[in-house]
Amino acid sequence: MLLSLLREFAEYQGLAQYMRATEPRLREALAAQPPMLRGALVEGPDGVVGFASYTVDFMPWVDSRVLRLDDLYVRQSARGLGLGLALMRHLAEVGSAEGVPVRWEMYPDNDSARAFYKRLGATSGEKTVFRWAPEVMREFLKE
């Protein structure tokens, strides 16, 4: 179900061409000890309609682990039912229980997400995210 929703989310974002996840790799990441990936699914009237995927990272400059929310997605047909809020509540419960903050990124022009997160009391800062693909790194290393 998670893989199906990830594909749907990638399509929704217009990024389907970058989708590389497979069911075996997701299972491996979820089952690893400690888990490489954590996640939560949320159900609506039509079954599972959303997810949150997150990892545990370490931020050395604040000397703390941090939950890094990778993706949060609720199908358009199930929005407005409080399901995104339920997923964020799950993250708050995990972060509170583990005594760590939660961090995430979002596209700057995603006004509805920005409003949603602000209603939760989350604060935002501006940051540019760089991505360095393995094939590009290999080219760099040849120089």
Side-chain angles (χ1 to χ4, degrees):
M1 178 83 321
L2 177 59
L3 181 58
S4 175
L5 285 167
L6 280 167
R7 287 185 179 133
E8 187 175 318
F9 181 57
E11 187 70 36
Y12 174 79
Q13 293 279 326
L15 301 170
Q17 69 271 24
Y18 300 111
M19 180 66 179
R20 303 279 186 270
T22 64
E23 187 173 333
R25 286 291 290 149
L26 284 175
R27 287 184 186 280
E28 179 184 328
L30 289 164
Q33 289 301 320
M36 295 179 350
L37 174 68
R38 297 182 188 189
L41 299 174
V42 67
E43 290 188 59
D46 300 324
V48 177
V49 293
F51 73 94
S53 60
Y54 58 101
T55 59
V56 177
D57 294 335
F58 183 78
M59 296 174 53
W61 55 275
V62 294
D63 191 29
S64 174
R65 292 179 317 126
V66 60
L67 297 183
R68 188 185 60 76
L69 173 61
D70 185 51
D71 289 315
L72 181 124
Y73 175 69
V74 175
R75 285 185 178 143
Q76 186 74 32
S77 62
R79 292 185 187 162
L81 301 176
L83 302 176
L85 188 63
L87 289 167
M88 292 304 288
R89 184 173 303 282
H90 169 76
L91 285 170
E93 289 169 352
V94 173
S96 295
E98 296 186 22
V100 298
V102 178
R103 289 179 52 127
W104 62 91
E105 302 164 7
M106 58 165 265
Y107 290 110
D109 61 347
N110 191 340
D111 294 331
S112 63
R114 184 176 303 280
F116 171 70
Y117 294 136
K118 284 190 180 216
R119 283 194 307 272
L120 299 177
T123 59
S124 65
E126 298 304 318
K127 197 176 207 179
T128 300
V129 177
F130 287 88
R131 291 172 181 83
W132 210 8
E135 60 275 9
V136 176
M137 289 185 281
R138 284 190 285 276
E139 286 300 314
F140 167 76
L141 291 171
K142 290 179 186 177
E143 295 176 5

